[in-house]
Amino acid sequence: MEFAFTPEQVEFRRSVAAFCEKEILPIAARCDASGEFPLHLFPLMGKLGYLGVKFPPEYGGAGEGNVTYAILAEELGRASAGIALGFYVHVALALTAVAAFGTPAQKTRYLRPGIAGEKIGAWGFAEPGAGSDPGSVTCRAEKTAAGYRITGTKMFTTNSPFADFVVLTASTAPGQGV
Ligand SMILES: Cc1cc2nc3c(=O)[nH]c(=O)nc-3n(C[C@H](O)[C@H](O)[C@H](O)COP(=O)(O)OP(=O)(O)OC[C@H]3O[C@@H](n4cnc5c(N)ncnc54)[C@H](O)[C@@H]3O)c2cc1C
């Protein structure tokens, strides 16, 4: 089995590292201190193809898979753990869930603009009383004529102050576990 990075992956790492040095390192300490998130990086990274690196070309991605995505996550994390987390939640949690489980209409509505950095995703898993345990989720999903009505409380939701959409866990049958 071959574990070495391909020449394309090595070049991708070099280009992301240069991007981080120019766009993230100079503002990282200020963002940590002020709590501000550099939202302008979403469309910038969308244009560079970074946000769609692991997703299918039919939705604007590069179809390069998870190893190339991991290179992106590593380099962002090296520049700023805080800024990297916002992009991790957007790409690895919210967009990945839409790509894996979304309908074609949901992929057009959320995945495509998410890859372009025009819409920002969040991930609502943690709840007071149901941290690591999905079977204890108390957030309810009740079927309605228009879709589902969601009732409940989430916490620690990264990106929530500015997200355009949230992918969340909710139970249609509370008390039945997972
Ligand atoms: C920086 C940051 C960003 C976050 N962003 C998000 C986000 O965007 N969306 C989101 O949904 N959540 C987010 N979280 C929350 C994260 O998902 C929760 O912190 C995590 O699920 C753990 O939940 P908890 O803190 O309630 O810990 P608990 O679930 O109470 O766990 C506490 C400890 O007990 C251990 N433990 C729990 N259950 C068991 C068990 N059955 N057996 C053995 N050990 C166990 C755990 O491993 C842990 O060490 C974020 C957290 C951080 C720190």
Side-chain angles (χ1 to χ4, degrees):
M1 192 177 269
E2 181 56 73
F3 289 109
F5 292 120
T6 64
E8 291 77 19
Q9 288 168 337
V10 171
E11 174 54 26
F12 181 69
R13 184 186 293 282
R14 195 204 54 73
S15 104
V16 177
F19 170 84
C20 290
E21 195 153 315
K22 177 164 178 264
E23 302 290 346
I24 298 184
L25 276 173
I27 59 170
R30 193 188 77 220
C31 289
D32 280 350
S34 66
E36 135 206 18
F37 195 91
L39 296 175
H40 70 279
L41 292 180
F42 277 96
L44 195 55
M45 288 172 63
K47 277 203 184 72
L48 290 167
Y50 292 172
L51 302 179
V53 79
K54 78 200 257 323
F55 297 116
E58 62 193 288
Y59 290 100
E64 293 292 339
N66 282 321
V67 172
T68 305
Y69 168 69
I71 292 171
L72 173 69
E74 279 185 346
E75 289 303 320
L76 292 175
R78 199 160 66 85
S80 165
I83 293 171
L85 183 65
F87 289 102
Y88 166 76
V89 165
H90 174 66
V91 176
L93 300 183
L95 293 186
T96 296
V98 176
F101 304 113
T103 62
Q106 288 168 333
K107 289 178 188 174
T108 301
R109 190 166 172 192
Y110 302 111
L111 181 58
R112 182 177 286 284
I115 286 172
E118 292 160 1
K119 274 190 183 165
I120 300 171
W123 174 255
F125 168 70
E127 297 181 4
S132 310
D133 178 13
S136 301
V137 160
T138 58
C139 190
R140 291 285 316 265
E142 291 167 277
K143 191 115 183 74
T144 66
Y148 285 90
R149 177 183 297 111
I150 303 294
T151 319
T153 304
K154 295 290 178 181
M155 65 176 186
F156 302 148
T157 311
T158 302
N159 292 352
S160 58
F162 45 76
D164 298 291
F165 66 96
V166 55
V167 179
L168 56 80
T169 51
S171 177
T172 52
Q176 285 195 10
V178 279

